[in-house]
Amino acid sequence: MAEDRVPAGSPTEPAGLFRDAMSALASGVAVVTARRADGLPAGLLATSIAAYSAAPPSIMVSVAHASRSHAVLVEHAGLFGVHLLARNQEETARVFASRSDDKYAELDWEWDHEVPRLAGAVSYLRCARSAVFDHYDHSVLIGDVLDGHHEGGEPLLWVRRRMDWRLSPEG
Ligand SMILES: Cc1cc2nc3c(=O)[nH]c(=O)nc-3n(C[C@H](O)[C@H](O)[C@H](O)COP(=O)(O)O)c2cc1C
């Protein structure tokens, strides 16, 4: 075998290496929501989310073409909501990571200027889509922060392929 070829699934093969390396990248757990063309609420769980710029305040999120939320977020809705989930919202995270047709059935939520706003998140940002970068099988969505609230409290964290972590600062 040539030295630059390694078996698929090996920790040194790029895809395996990527998965292992990214498991060490701790992130918040976000639910991104928007209104569908038929007026119903849509949304998905996303950990590929980050601050894009502080001025203007804007966030970025990577959305897979394969998700049903993709067309809603990238083509239809000009506004979307970003919820950084609280530590006790693991079940909400699982619902939004699923392909359920009624993710909102058991939730406390309301419309906020055409954006579905979930109760109980650590932070909620209502954003206006300002740019989309399309590459491979994902789109990077940029949203300018319009409004929202920061309740505080302990956030849900995704690291080492788990989200049942508890922050325990020293002292
Ligand atoms: C921990 C975790 C993180 C995820 N992060 C993302 C992400 O950043 N972007 C994305 O498009 N999908 C992500 N997903 C997958 C979507 O949540 C999932 O495909 C969902 O079913 C899409 O729902 P929809 O088809 O109703 O839009 C993630 C899933 C999990 C479990």
Side-chain angles (χ1 to χ4, degrees):
M1 184 188 301
E3 262 183 44
D4 61 346
R5 294 257 203 91
V6 289
S10 151
T12 53
E13 178 256 340
L17 176 61
F18 169 84
R19 281 194 300 274
D20 288 348
M22 291 303 100
S23 75
L25 177 65
S27 66
V29 178
V31 169
V32 182
T33 62
R35 191 171 78 161
R36 294 182 349 190
D38 63 5
L40 293 175
L44 83 168
L45 186 79
T47 53
S48 295
I49 186 152
Y52 179 73
S53 163
S58 45
I59 61 101
M60 57 189 281
V61 56
S62 175
V63 183
H65 294 174
S67 73
R68 296 168 306 175
S69 302
H70 183 271
V72 183
L73 290 164
V74 168
E75 293 163 24
H76 173 67
L79 298 175
F80 63 92
V82 173
H83 304 77
L84 296 176
L85 296 186
R87 189 175 180 277
N88 64 1
Q89 291 184 301
E90 202 173 328
E91 182 53 30
T92 300
R94 296 197 192 290
V95 168
F96 279 91
S98 78
R99 303 276 290 186
S100 163
D101 284 326
D102 196 0
K103 298 183 182 184
Y104 290 79
E106 308 290 326
L107 293 178
D108 182 6
W109 70 280
E110 62 184 0
W111 290 108
D112 172 37
H113 297 81
E114 304 188 1
V115 173
R117 176 171 58 195
L118 310 181
V122 166
S123 302
Y124 162 74
L125 300 173
R126 179 161 48 85
C127 301
R129 170 163 44 85
S130 57
V132 176
F133 303 105
D134 213 45
H135 190 55
Y136 296 143
D137 60 351
H138 279 64
S139 300
V140 175
L141 181 65
I142 308 291
D144 297 352
V145 177
L146 301 177
D147 201 354
H149 58 81
H150 177 68
E151 299 294 337
E154 202 173 341
L156 201 55
L157 297 178
W158 174 250
V159 63
R160 294 182 180 165
R161 304 184 176 99
R162 303 172 65 106
M163 55 177 91
D164 55 352
W165 299 99
R166 178 179 284 280
L167 285 174
S168 54
E170 279 184 48

